[in-house]
Amino acid sequence: MSTLDVLGLCGSLRKASINRLALKLAGELMPATMKLDIAEWRDVPVFDGDVLAAGLPPTVASVRERIRRADGVLIVTPEYNFSIPGGLKNVLDWTSRGDDQPWAGKPVALFTASPGPVGGARVQYDLRKVLLFLNTHVLAKPEVFISMAGTKFDAEGRCTDEGTRKFVTDQMAAFERWIGAVAKMKA
């Protein structure tokens, strides 16, 4: 079996983001048949139809191509003001433009980490709506909401909470199966 190429998108740009730590944790806990590559999208400009009319900026074209090549996309994001962080929504808006948008039919998994008690649940619901419109195949279960996330990682960025590690491990195993199931549907 060949290795599944999973593209990771973190909804936070901050280098010390808990969600970036959680995304890296997912990469560590993936089955051996999966490999995570985290996309950097800091330089994607704010969506502007006038810019789009002149052609896709190279940074957008690069992220689009990376999404297209991936066997699946894992999105790990914080919740900003009860919803999707503006930067992440901007990347989704840019990469979904055109008839050749790379999201159509793409298997996607998502989870959230938050310093609060809800674990970013509200952003997941909004993000699922957007991803549905993009015609992705979002993994329904198991859902992962890492609440009180700041207490679950040590100073070196390692997840010390066994429950969190199990939830993420279980989701990554389910995502591996989901990518295979979506591939069979497309065949």
Side-chain angles (χ1 to χ4, degrees), residues 105-126:
K106 189 67 62 178
V108 176
L110 58 107
F111 71 89
T112 50
S114 169
V118 182
R122 293 170 291 237
V123 67
Q124 284 202 31
Y125 301 126
D126 285 349

Side-chain angles (χ1 to χ4, degrees), residues 2-40:
S2 63
T3 301
L4 295 172
D5 174 26
V6 176
L7 179 66
L9 288 176
C10 183
S12 173
L13 292 173
R14 206 166 50 87
K15 289 193 187 304
S17 163
I18 296 265
N19 282 273
R20 186 167 295 274
L21 295 176
L23 182 56
K24 289 178 180 178
L25 173 67
E28 293 168 21
L29 299 176
M30 285 179 169
T33 58
M34 299 171 80
K35 182 181 183 300
L36 178 68
D37 177 36
I38 299 173
E40 296 301 332

Side-chain angles (χ1 to χ4, degrees), residues 6 8 12-14 22 35 45 58 66 70 80 92 94 99-100 112 115 123 134 144 146 159-160 164 173 178 180 183:
V6 176
S12 173
L13 292 173
R14 206 166 50 87
K35 182 181 183 300
R66 191 59 194 91
Y80 289 178
L92 295 174
W94 263 117
D99 292 335
D100 67 337
T112 50
V123 67
L134 299 183
V144 175
I146 305 173
C159 181
T160 58
T164 298
W178 185 239

Side-chain angles (χ1 to χ4, degrees), residues 6 43 58 91 98 118 126 129 136 152 155 187:
V6 176
D43 295 328
V91 168
V118 182
D126 285 349
K129 288 188 297 188
T136 68
K152 298 182 178 171

Side-chain angles (χ1 to χ4, degrees), residues 1 7 10 17 24 32 35 38-39 45 57 62 69-71 85 101 114 123 128 135 141 145 147 159:
M1 173 185 264
L7 179 66
C10 183
S17 163
K24 289 178 180 178
K35 182 181 183 300
I38 299 173
S62 175
R69 285 194 333 259
D71 294 307
Q101 69 96 347
S114 169
V123 67
R128 286 175 189 277
N135 200 27
K141 291 184 180 183
F145 308 95
S147 61
C159 181

